[in-house]
Amino acid sequence: SHFSHIYKPNAEGKTVVLGIEGSANKVGVGVLCYDPSTETYQTLSNPRKTYVSPVGCGFLPKETSWHHQSHVVALVRAALNEAYPDDESNAHLRLSAIAFTLGPGMGGPLKSCAVAARSLSLLWKIPLIAVNHCIAHIEMGRVATSASDPVVLYVSGGNTQVIAYSDGRYRIFGETIDIAVGNCLDRFARVVGLSNDPSPGYNIELEARKHSRETPLKFVELPYVVKGMDVSFSGLLTFIEELTRRKDFVKDGLVQNEKQFTTADLCYSLQETIFAMLIEITERTMAHCGQNSVLIVGGVGCNKRLQHMMADMVSDRGGTLCAMDHRYCIDNGAMIAQAGMFGLQFGSDDMLVKMEDTDCRQRFRTDQVEVVWRPKTRGQHA
C-alpha cells in the first residue's frame, strides 16, 4: 500500500482509528483501539446524533446534510474526550488514521462527513481510509458476536441483502429488487401517522407487540413476494397503503365487527409477512453455502420479532444466530473504524485512498471491495 510508510501505531504501541459515519439520517463518530498484546479490538467511544424528521415526512438530503454538518465537529470532540478523558488536548496524537464512509448512501450526507474526514486527515497528517458502509456493518457484527464465517442478513432503511463470504469478497446471494425492507416499514409508518422518533420501524414494532395469546391481533393477508433468491417490497407496500383507505380500516380505537382492522393489525401483519420472506431467502442461502450460523446486521436487525423468527429457523437447522442490539446494529462510527482498521492493518489498496480518490459513491456494491483481511477460501461459490 502507498500508505504503509505513513501508518504507524501510537506511542503506546496501539493502533487507534477514528471512524465517521453519515450515509443516512445518523451521524456518528467512533474511536476503536487495537491492542497487539491481547490481539483485541476495543470500542473506546461511539457517540451519534439522529436527524428526526416530522411525523409523516421522510428525511431529505439537504436537511440531513445540514444536520450532519452542524453536529460532526462536536461529535469528533466528544468521541476523543470520551476515549481519552485524561488527555483531551492531545487525544488526536494517538490516532493512526481517519476512516469514513465512502458509500453507499445519500449524496449530501455522505459528502458532509467526507469533508470532515478529509479536513481532519490534513489537519492531523494521518491517512484516510475509505470504507464501504455494508462491509462495515458485517465486520462490526463479526467482531461484536465472535461469528467467524456466518451467512449475513443485512437489513436497513437503504439495503436488503443476504451475503456470504467466498473467495476474497462478500458475495450477494439474494437482495431486494426494488426498495429496502426498512424503507418499506418507514413509508408505511408515515401513511398511518406513526412517529419518526426514535425511528418509524421501532414504532411499528411496538404496535405489533400488542399481539399476544390473550389479545391476538388480526392477521391481514398481504402479498408474499419471493423471486428465487430475491425479494420485492414495493407491491406489498402499495397493497397495504390501499388497505388504509378502505372503510374497514380503523386508525384509532376499537373494531366494531370482524371485517374491520386496526393500525396494530396492519403493523403485525406487515412484520410477519416481510420477515418470513427474509428468513426464507436466508435459509436458502444457508443450504446453498452449507453454513449453520446467521448474523443479522443493519438497523432493522434490532427488531426483536425478526430475531425471534430467525432464531426459530436457525435452531431447526441446528445452527446459531448472532444478533446485536441498537448500539451496533444502527449506523455508528465504530463500525466504520472497525472496517477501516482491518483495511489499514492488512494494507487494502481499495480502502487506503489518496485525497483525490475520496469522492463519495452513492452506489457502491458490497462485492466491489476485496476483503484482504480474510483468507481466500471456498472459491466454489464465487
Side-chain angles (χ1 to χ4, degrees):
S1 167
H2 47 261
F3 269 130
S4 56
H5 65 288
I6 300 176
Y7 158 56
K8 58 184 184 299
N10 61 25
E12 299 169 344
K14 298 177 180 178
T15 304
V16 182
V17 173
L18 182 139
I20 302 176
E21 153 60 24
S23 60
N25 69 326
K26 295 163 191 71
V27 55
V29 178
V31 178
L32 191 86
C33 175
Y34 173 74
D35 187 343
S37 63
T38 57
E39 294 187 353
T40 56
Y41 298 93
Q42 182 185 3
T43 302
L44 302 180
S45 59
N46 199 17
R48 69 174 166 229
K49 291 280 187 181
T50 302
Y51 172 59
V52 178
S53 50
V55 175
C57 301
F59 50 92
L60 299 172
K62 185 186 289 184
E63 288 80 3
T64 310
S65 302
W66 291 341
H67 171 269
H68 291 7
Q69 290 162 23
S70 64
H71 284 104
V72 68
V73 173
L75 283 170
V76 169
R77 192 172 286 124
L80 289 174
N81 290 352
E82 185 184 340
Y84 300 105
D86 300 327
D87 192 18
E88 295 179 6
S89 58
N90 295 313
H92 65 278
L93 298 176
R94 301 172 188 248
L95 299 177
S96 302
I98 304 285
F100 72 101
T101 308
L102 189 71
M106 300 171 74
L110 280 172
K111 286 187 175 182
S112 300
C113 293
V115 167
R118 291 185 201 114
S119 302
L120 293 175
S121 173
L122 291 170
L123 182 66
W124 294 335
K125 297 179 175 59
I126 51 178
L128 273 174
I129 317 169
V131 173
N132 178 291
H133 181 86
C134 316
I135 286 177
H137 271 296
I138 296 169
E139 296 306 339
M140 185 86 250
R142 286 180 62 235
V143 170
T145 66
S146 301
S148 60
D149 188 24
V151 167
V152 181
L153 176 64
Y154 172 28
V155 277
S156 68
N159 296 275
T160 301
Q161 301 174 351
V162 182
I163 301 160
Y165 176 77
S166 178
D167 197 30
R169 291 179 190 264
Y170 284 114
R171 311 288 175 176
I172 301 167
F173 283 79
E175 61 187 317
T176 176
I177 58 174
D178 40 54
I179 62 174
V181 59
N183 188 240
C184 178
L185 291 167
D186 292 355
R187 286 164 66 177
F188 177 67
R190 281 181 233 158
V191 169
V192 292
L194 294 178
S195 171
N196 290 321
D197 188 16
S199 72
Y202 180 68
N203 290 318
I204 285 180
E205 183 182 358
L206 292 181
E207 287 291 315
R209 280 185 196 170
K210 293 175 182 176
H211 176 78
S212 66
R213 286 183 179 178
E214 295 75 31
T215 56
L217 293 175
K218 182 177 183 177
F219 180 78
V220 181
E221 195 163 329
L222 302 172
Y224 183 97
V225 192
V226 174
K227 302 187 177 187
M229 296 293 282
D230 297 330
V231 288
S232 169
F233 299 112
S234 60
L236 188 159
L237 178 63
T238 302
F239 185 92
I240 199 169
E241 285 178 350
E242 288 292 331
L243 291 180
T244 64
R245 300 189 188 100
R246 290 188 185 178
K247 62 178 184 295
D248 293 330
F249 173 59
V250 180
K251 186 172 182 179
D252 301 303
L254 300 172
V255 296
Q256 305 298 319
N257 58 60
E258 288 185 2
K259 288 186 177 180
Q260 290 183 330
F261 48 87
T262 64
T263 296
D265 292 332
L266 291 182
C267 289
Y268 164 69
S269 305
L270 181 62
Q271 276 199 170
E272 294 298 304
T273 304
I274 61 179
F275 292 167
M277 291 161 57
L278 294 172
I279 284 156
E280 179 184 331
I281 62 171
T282 304
E283 184 170 19
R284 198 172 287 135
T285 303
M286 290 175 74
H288 178 73
C289 297
Q291 302 287 81
N292 70 347
S293 65
V294 173
L295 169 67
I296 307 177
V297 300
V300 182
C302 296
N303 189 294
K304 290 287 189 287
R305 180 57 185 153
L306 174 61
Q307 291 180 9
H308 289 157
M309 290 173 72
M310 187 68 78
D312 287 344
M313 180 274 285
V314 172
S315 65
D316 286 346
R317 298 182 64 88
T320 54
L321 171 65
C322 306
M324 298 180 290
D325 61 22
H326 63 93
R327 290 173 301 168
Y328 298 126
C329 266
I330 295 170
D331 293 350
N332 62 88
M335 73 182 201
I336 303 302
Q338 181 69 68
M341 179 80 77
F342 285 146
L344 185 69
Q345 291 177 321
F346 288 83
S348 168
D349 288 326
D350 287 340
M351 296 169 67
L352 287 159
V353 291
K354 296 176 180 175
M355 191 65 70
E356 57 267 28
D357 298 325
T358 56
D359 282 344
C360 294
R361 296 162 64 176
Q362 287 183 261
R363 290 173 177 81
F364 190 10
R365 299 279 289 177
T366 315
D367 52 12
Q368 285 181 281
V369 178
E370 190 173 356
V371 184
V372 295
W373 51 92
R374 294 189 62 176
K376 283 197 174 186
T377 55
R378 294 178 46 237
Q380 67 268 25
H381 297 305

PDB file of all heavy atoms in Angstrom, residues 81-96:
ATOM      1  N   ASN A  81     -12.790  12.948  23.600  1.00  0.00           N
ATOM      2  CA  ASN A  81     -12.806  13.230  25.043  1.00  0.00           C
ATOM      3  C   ASN A  81     -13.236  12.009  25.845  1.00  0.00           C
ATOM      4  O   ASN A  81     -12.715  11.744  26.926  1.00  0.00           O
ATOM      5  CB  ASN A  81     -13.749  14.398  25.346  1.00  0.00           C
ATOM      6  CG  ASN A  81     -13.204  15.729  24.834  1.00  0.00           C
ATOM      7  OD1 ASN A  81     -12.057  15.795  24.391  1.00  0.00           O
ATOM      8  ND2 ASN A  81     -14.013  16.769  24.891  1.00  0.00           N
ATOM      9  N   GLU A  82     -14.202  11.269  25.300  1.00  0.00           N
ATOM     10  CA  GLU A  82     -14.660  10.060  25.989  1.00  0.00           C
ATOM     11  C   GLU A  82     -13.598   8.962  25.930  1.00  0.00           C
ATOM     12  O   GLU A  82     -13.404   8.214  26.900  1.00  0.00           O
ATOM     13  CB  GLU A  82     -15.965   9.560  25.367  1.00  0.00           C
ATOM     14  CG  GLU A  82     -16.571   8.366  26.099  1.00  0.00           C
ATOM     15  CD  GLU A  82     -17.810   7.818  25.411  1.00  0.00           C
ATOM     16  OE1 GLU A  82     -18.430   8.545  24.598  1.00  0.00           O
ATOM     17  OE2 GLU A  82     -18.155   6.639  25.683  1.00  0.00           O
ATOM     18  N   ALA A  83     -12.909   8.878  24.784  1.00  0.00           N
ATOM     19  CA  ALA A  83     -11.886   7.838  24.623  1.00  0.00           C
ATOM     20  C   ALA A  83     -10.666   8.113  25.500  1.00  0.00           C
ATOM     21  O   ALA A  83     -10.080   7.181  26.064  1.00  0.00           O
ATOM     22  CB  ALA A  83     -11.473   7.747  23.154  1.00  0.00           C
ATOM     23  N   TYR A  84     -10.293   9.389  25.610  1.00  0.00           N
ATOM     24  CA  TYR A  84      -9.093   9.768  26.390  1.00  0.00           C
ATOM     25  C   TYR A  84      -9.418  10.937  27.320  1.00  0.00           C
ATOM     26  O   TYR A  84      -8.957  12.061  27.103  1.00  0.00           O
ATOM     27  CB  TYR A  84      -7.951  10.132  25.439  1.00  0.00           C
ATOM     28  CG  TYR A  84      -7.557   8.990  24.533  1.00  0.00           C
ATOM     29  CD1 TYR A  84      -7.914   8.982  23.190  1.00  0.00           C
ATOM     30  CD2 TYR A  84      -6.857   7.895  25.025  1.00  0.00           C
ATOM     31  CE1 TYR A  84      -7.564   7.916  22.355  1.00  0.00           C
ATOM     32  CE2 TYR A  84      -6.510   6.824  24.213  1.00  0.00           C
ATOM     33  CZ  TYR A  84      -6.866   6.849  22.886  1.00  0.00           C
ATOM     34  OH  TYR A  84      -6.531   5.794  22.071  1.00  0.00           O
ATOM     35  N   PRO A  85     -10.190  10.695  28.370  1.00  0.00           N
ATOM     36  CA  PRO A  85     -10.615  11.788  29.255  1.00  0.00           C
ATOM     37  C   PRO A  85      -9.466  12.445  30.022  1.00  0.00           C
ATOM     38  O   PRO A  85      -9.577  13.598  30.433  1.00  0.00           O
ATOM     39  CB  PRO A  85     -11.593  11.096  30.219  1.00  0.00           C
ATOM     40  CG  PRO A  85     -11.226   9.647  30.174  1.00  0.00           C
ATOM     41  CD  PRO A  85     -10.736   9.397  28.785  1.00  0.00           C
ATOM     42  N   ASP A  86      -8.366  11.722  30.187  1.00  0.00           N
ATOM     43  CA  ASP A  86      -7.240  12.272  30.949  1.00  0.00           C
ATOM     44  C   ASP A  86      -6.264  13.058  30.089  1.00  0.00           C
ATOM     45  O   ASP A  86      -5.320  13.664  30.611  1.00  0.00           O
ATOM     46  CB  ASP A  86      -6.480  11.139  31.658  1.00  0.00           C
ATOM     47  CG  ASP A  86      -7.382  10.375  32.621  1.00  0.00           C
ATOM     48  OD1 ASP A  86      -8.287  11.011  33.200  1.00  0.00           O
ATOM     49  OD2 ASP A  86      -7.193   9.152  32.766  1.00  0.00           O
ATOM     50  N   ASP A  87      -6.468  13.033  28.772  1.00  0.00           N
ATOM     51  CA  ASP A  87      -5.517  13.698  27.872  1.00  0.00           C
ATOM     52  C   ASP A  87      -6.265  14.274  26.672  1.00  0.00           C
ATOM     53  O   ASP A  87      -5.954  13.968  25.520  1.00  0.00           O
ATOM     54  CB  ASP A  87      -4.452  12.689  27.422  1.00  0.00           C
ATOM     55  CG  ASP A  87      -3.271  13.374  26.731  1.00  0.00           C
ATOM     56  OD1 ASP A  87      -3.117  14.604  26.899  1.00  0.00           O
ATOM     57  OD2 ASP A  87      -2.528  12.680  26.014  1.00  0.00           O
ATOM     58  N   GLU A  88      -7.289  15.086  26.951  1.00  0.00           N
ATOM     59  CA  GLU A  88      -8.174  15.572  25.908  1.00  0.00           C
ATOM     60  C   GLU A  88      -7.451  16.402  24.847  1.00  0.00           C
ATOM     61  O   GLU A  88      -7.718  16.285  23.655  1.00  0.00           O
ATOM     62  CB  GLU A  88      -9.314  16.391  26.526  1.00  0.00           C
ATOM     63  CG  GLU A  88     -10.239  15.550  27.403  1.00  0.00           C
ATOM     64  CD  GLU A  88     -11.340  16.378  28.033  1.00  0.00           C
ATOM     65  OE1 GLU A  88     -11.446  17.572  27.694  1.00  0.00           O
ATOM     66  OE2 GLU A  88     -12.106  15.832  28.854  1.00  0.00           O
ATOM     67  N   SER A  89      -6.530  17.236  25.253  1.00  0.00           N
ATOM     68  CA  SER A  89      -5.881  18.148  24.311  1.00  0.00           C
ATOM     69  C   SER A  89      -4.956  17.422  23.336  1.00  0.00           C
ATOM     70  O   SER A  89      -4.721  17.912  22.219  1.00  0.00           O
ATOM     71  CB  SER A  89      -5.093  19.224  25.072  1.00  0.00           C
ATOM     72  OG  SER A  89      -4.132  18.617  25.914  1.00  0.00           O
ATOM     73  N   ASN A  90      -4.427  16.259  23.746  1.00  0.00           N
ATOM     74  CA  ASN A  90      -3.507  15.523  22.870  1.00  0.00           C
ATOM     75  C   ASN A  90      -4.093  14.212  22.360  1.00  0.00           C
ATOM     76  O   ASN A  90      -3.364  13.360  21.837  1.00  0.00           O
ATOM     77  CB  ASN A  90      -2.200  15.228  23.619  1.00  0.00           C
ATOM     78  CG  ASN A  90      -1.432  16.492  23.961  1.00  0.00           C
ATOM     79  OD1 ASN A  90      -1.260  17.359  23.102  1.00  0.00           O
ATOM     80  ND2 ASN A  90      -1.009  16.616  25.207  1.00  0.00           N
ATOM     81  N   ALA A  91      -5.409  14.046  22.494  1.00  0.00           N
ATOM     82  CA  ALA A  91      -6.036  12.780  22.117  1.00  0.00           C
ATOM     83  C   ALA A  91      -5.807  12.444  20.651  1.00  0.00           C
ATOM     84  O   ALA A  91      -5.591  11.274  20.286  1.00  0.00           O
ATOM     85  CB  ALA A  91      -7.528  12.830  22.417  1.00  0.00           C
ATOM     86  N   HIS A  92      -5.808  13.471  19.788  1.00  0.00           N
ATOM     87  CA  HIS A  92      -5.655  13.222  18.350  1.00  0.00           C
ATOM     88  C   HIS A  92      -4.270  12.663  17.997  1.00  0.00           C
ATOM     89  O   HIS A  92      -4.097  12.035  16.950  1.00  0.00           O
ATOM     90  CB  HIS A  92      -5.919  14.504  17.557  1.00  0.00           C
ATOM     91  CG  HIS A  92      -4.926  15.596  17.812  1.00  0.00           C
ATOM     92  ND1 HIS A  92      -5.007  16.433  18.902  1.00  0.00           N
ATOM     93  CD2 HIS A  92      -3.813  15.973  17.113  1.00  0.00           C
ATOM     94  CE1 HIS A  92      -3.999  17.291  18.868  1.00  0.00           C
ATOM     95  NE2 HIS A  92      -3.262  17.033  17.798  1.00  0.00           N
ATOM     96  N   LEU A  93      -3.287  12.880  18.879  1.00  0.00           N
ATOM     97  CA  LEU A  93      -1.946  12.377  18.619  1.00  0.00           C
ATOM     98  C   LEU A  93      -1.880  10.850  18.726  1.00  0.00           C
ATOM     99  O   LEU A  93      -0.932  10.233  18.254  1.00  0.00           O
ATOM    100  CB  LEU A  93      -0.946  13.001  19.599  1.00  0.00           C
ATOM    101  CG  LEU A  93      -0.802  14.528  19.523  1.00  0.00           C
ATOM    102  CD1 LEU A  93       0.137  15.027  20.606  1.00  0.00           C
ATOM    103  CD2 LEU A  93      -0.318  14.957  18.139  1.00  0.00           C
ATOM    104  N   ARG A  94      -2.883  10.248  19.341  1.00  0.00           N
ATOM    105  CA  ARG A  94      -2.916   8.793  19.490  1.00  0.00           C
ATOM    106  C   ARG A  94      -3.515   8.094  18.269  1.00  0.00           C
ATOM    107  O   ARG A  94      -3.481   6.872  18.174  1.00  0.00           O
ATOM    108  CB  ARG A  94      -3.728   8.417  20.733  1.00  0.00           C
ATOM    109  CG  ARG A  94      -3.185   8.995  22.031  1.00  0.00           C
ATOM    110  CD  ARG A  94      -4.150   8.725  23.170  1.00  0.00           C
ATOM    111  NE  ARG A  94      -3.753   9.409  24.383  1.00  0.00           N
ATOM    112  CZ  ARG A  94      -3.328   8.804  25.493  1.00  0.00           C
ATOM    113  NH1 ARG A  94      -3.239   7.488  25.514  1.00  0.00           N
ATOM    114  NH2 ARG A  94      -3.023   9.492  26.562  1.00  0.00           N
ATOM    115  N   LEU A  95      -4.082   8.857  17.339  1.00  0.00           N
ATOM    116  CA  LEU A  95      -4.769   8.265  16.188  1.00  0.00           C
ATOM    117  C   LEU A  95      -3.782   7.833  15.108  1.00  0.00           C
ATOM    118  O   LEU A  95      -2.795   8.521  14.830  1.00  0.00           O
ATOM    119  CB  LEU A  95      -5.760   9.263  15.582  1.00  0.00           C
ATOM    120  CG  LEU A  95      -6.896   9.750  16.495  1.00  0.00           C
ATOM    121  CD1 LEU A  95      -7.747  10.784  15.770  1.00  0.00           C
ATOM    122  CD2 LEU A  95      -7.762   8.581  16.953  1.00  0.00           C
ATOM    123  N   SER A  96      -4.075   6.692  14.490  1.00  0.00           N
ATOM    124  CA  SER A  96      -3.265   6.194  13.376  1.00  0.00           C
ATOM    125  C   SER A  96      -3.872   6.549  12.032  1.00  0.00           C
ATOM    126  O   SER A  96      -3.170   6.627  11.023  1.00  0.00           O
ATOM    127  CB  SER A  96      -3.112   4.669  13.467  1.00  0.00           C
ATOM    128  OG  SER A  96      -2.516   4.302  14.688  1.00  0.00           O
TER     129      SER A  96
END
